[in-house]
Amino acid sequence: MSSYGKLDDRVVDAVLAVAVSVVVGVAIAADLGGTRSPDAVAFLFALGLGALMFVRRYYPVLTLAATVAGIIAYYLADYPPIGLAIPVAAALYSAAEAGRTRVAVGVAAGLLVVTTGFRLAEGDDPAYLFGFEFASTVGLMAAAIALGDGVRSRALLAAEHERRERQRREAERMHLAREVHDVLGHTVTVISIQANVAAEAVDDDPEAVRAALGVIREAADGAVRELRATVGLLTAPDTDDPSRSPVGSVRHLDALVRATTDSGLPVDLDVDGTPGPLPSAVDATAYRIVQEALANSLRHAQATRVTVRLSYADDRLEISVADDGRGWSGSVEDAGGRGLRGMRERVSLLGGTLSVDSAPGRGFRIDAVLPLEM
């Protein structure tokens, strides 16, 4: 809590303390009964009940207990009556505000039973006691408890809203991180490989240099387009413009396959079934899975060929990317690093499945199933 919030709390507590002391003090000064006239000790009760408001946030139940004990002690001293609900209302409110509503209700009920029985034993008129004073006392106590519980509920709702807002911002941040990682990962790999090709051929093979630079230019242009599309979707996620394609699409796989092949890793693209329009989230996820898998094969696999297979069914799209590289000797869960984690997160959000299979000497394979009905 900020210092400003703490200052506000202290101000509220001070106002409550003054209000309780003044209200109780006025009731004492009215001297409406009792065998003992008001004196300095009686007014000390008023100050004590008010002073309890300064500790109510830290010790709500103790504040309520001390308030009840003070009221009982006051009446046992036979000072003028000050009512019941008004002196205890602030303490009941504080207990309910702190989440101790049941305690507040129990204490209020107990106090009503004790004081009512005591007054009946003293000969108070039952008709007046139950017909007027009891109902007003119960109403004021109930109102204090309800107000405290309502304030607490609003605070909990505000805290829950803030928690969900933090989660939303974190999800957006992770989404942006995944998009940037996916867009740049494959492109940087292609550019790095082609730059090495150009560096090796610069002295004796100008055509190879020009070809490498052409691939670099195409990869860079593609990355710029995807980054612009990513930023556009992030800044205007609710757009209904049908002309805007998702960031990455299976329609772009030919360019991705061509860039990977031009970088020295031949890619076979097989399509089973009849391609049809895909939900935008499935379309983008399918593209990202293939993109990340090809980037991993380029960077780490030492593969000589990769096979990408898309299988269209009525209710799902199956994706398989397999290379003939060196495989992975450790846990496959650690093989793909952030990229594999990003794939799993994307697939999980769509309700699909993703599996990874690899072993030393037999390549690396990723299989994903994306449901088309979302």
Side-chain angles (χ1 to χ4, degrees):
M1 184 183 296
S2 67
S3 59
Y4 181 77
K6 291 180 179 178
L7 178 61
D8 284 347
D9 290 344
R10 288 196 292 268
V11 170
V12 170
D13 293 343
V15 170
L16 276 177
V18 171
V20 170
S21 296
V22 169
V23 170
V24 176
V26 169
I28 293 172
D31 193 9
L32 297 178
T35 60
R36 185 174 178 181
S37 298
D39 55 21
V41 175
F43 288 101
L44 285 177
F45 277 103
L47 293 176
L49 292 175
L52 288 172
M53 296 300 99
F54 289 106
V55 297
R56 70 183 188 91
R57 296 182 188 274
Y58 310 103
Y59 309 105
V61 175
L62 181 60
T63 298
L64 180 58
T67 299
V68 171
I71 293 173
I72 292 175
Y74 176 87
Y75 277 110
L76 288 176
D78 209 19
Y79 283 118
I82 56 174
L84 179 62
I86 291 178
V88 81
L92 291 173
Y93 165 84
S94 301
E97 184 188 23
R100 309 304 294 271
T101 304
R102 291 184 179 180
V103 174
V105 172
V107 169
L111 190 58
L112 281 168
V113 170
V114 171
T115 57
T116 301
F118 181 78
R119 293 182 64 178
L120 287 174
E122 283 194 332
D124 285 9
D125 181 10
Y128 171 79
L129 189 61
F130 290 106
F132 174 73
E133 188 169 329
F134 188 84
S136 61
T137 299
V138 170
L140 187 54
M141 284 183 166
I145 295 172
L147 179 60
D149 188 64
V151 170
R152 175 176 176 271
S153 297
R154 286 188 61 185
L156 290 177
L157 286 174
E160 177 65 15
H161 176 75
E162 183 178 353
R163 184 185 67 82
R164 290 183 177 179
E165 184 64 19
R166 286 198 303 268
Q167 289 181 334
R168 185 188 65 80
R169 290 196 298 266
E170 178 66 15
E172 288 180 350
R173 187 182 69 82
M174 293 303 298
H175 173 68
L176 177 59
R178 283 196 302 267
E179 289 295 336
V180 172
H181 174 274
D182 292 344
V183 169
L184 295 181
H186 183 270
T187 302
V188 170
T189 300
V190 170
I191 289 175
S192 176
I193 291 174
Q194 293 299 326
N196 289 333
V197 170
E200 292 175 359
V202 68
D203 292 328
D204 51 12
D205 194 348
E207 289 300 322
V209 173
R210 279 193 288 271
L213 292 177
V215 174
I216 290 173
R217 182 175 60 252
E218 183 177 352
D221 290 345
V224 169
R225 286 194 301 270
E226 287 199 48
L227 284 174
R228 285 175 177 169
T230 299
V231 172
L233 289 177
L234 290 174
T235 55
D238 297 326
T239 181
D240 294 326
D241 185 355
S243 66
R244 296 186 62 177
S245 297
V247 181
S249 167
V250 293
R251 296 193 299 273
H252 307 149
L253 284 183
D254 286 340
L256 184 64
V257 166
R258 184 170 60 253
T260 305
T261 300
D262 290 343
S263 295
L265 179 59
V267 179
D268 296 322
L269 177 60
D270 297 331
V271 178
D272 296 330
T274 303
L278 299 173
S280 59
V282 174
D283 197 10
T285 297
Y287 178 83
R288 293 302 186 208
I289 290 172
V290 176
Q291 184 184 50
E292 180 61 28
L294 292 180
N296 286 338
S297 295
L298 271 174
R299 285 195 299 259
H300 310 301
Q302 299 178 4
T304 61
R305 184 166 291 275
V306 180
T307 299
V308 176
R309 178 171 286 106
L310 301 182
S311 299
Y312 289 84
D314 292 338
D315 59 346
R316 67 190 182 277
L317 172 64
E318 297 178 3
I319 305 165
S320 174
V321 183
D323 65 46
D324 61 355
R326 59 189 177 89
W328 184 258
S329 58
S331 169
V332 293
E333 297 300 323
D334 300 327
R338 182 185 296 274
L340 182 56
R341 289 195 298 273
M343 287 187 206
R344 290 194 183 281
E345 291 172 2
R346 290 175 182 276
V347 172
S348 177
L349 287 174
L350 298 178
T353 61
L354 185 141
S355 61
V356 180
D357 182 40
S358 181
R362 62 178 181 86
F364 199 91
R365 180 186 179 99
I366 292 175
D367 293 288
V369 178
L370 305 179
L372 299 185
E373 297 182 1
M374 302 173 59

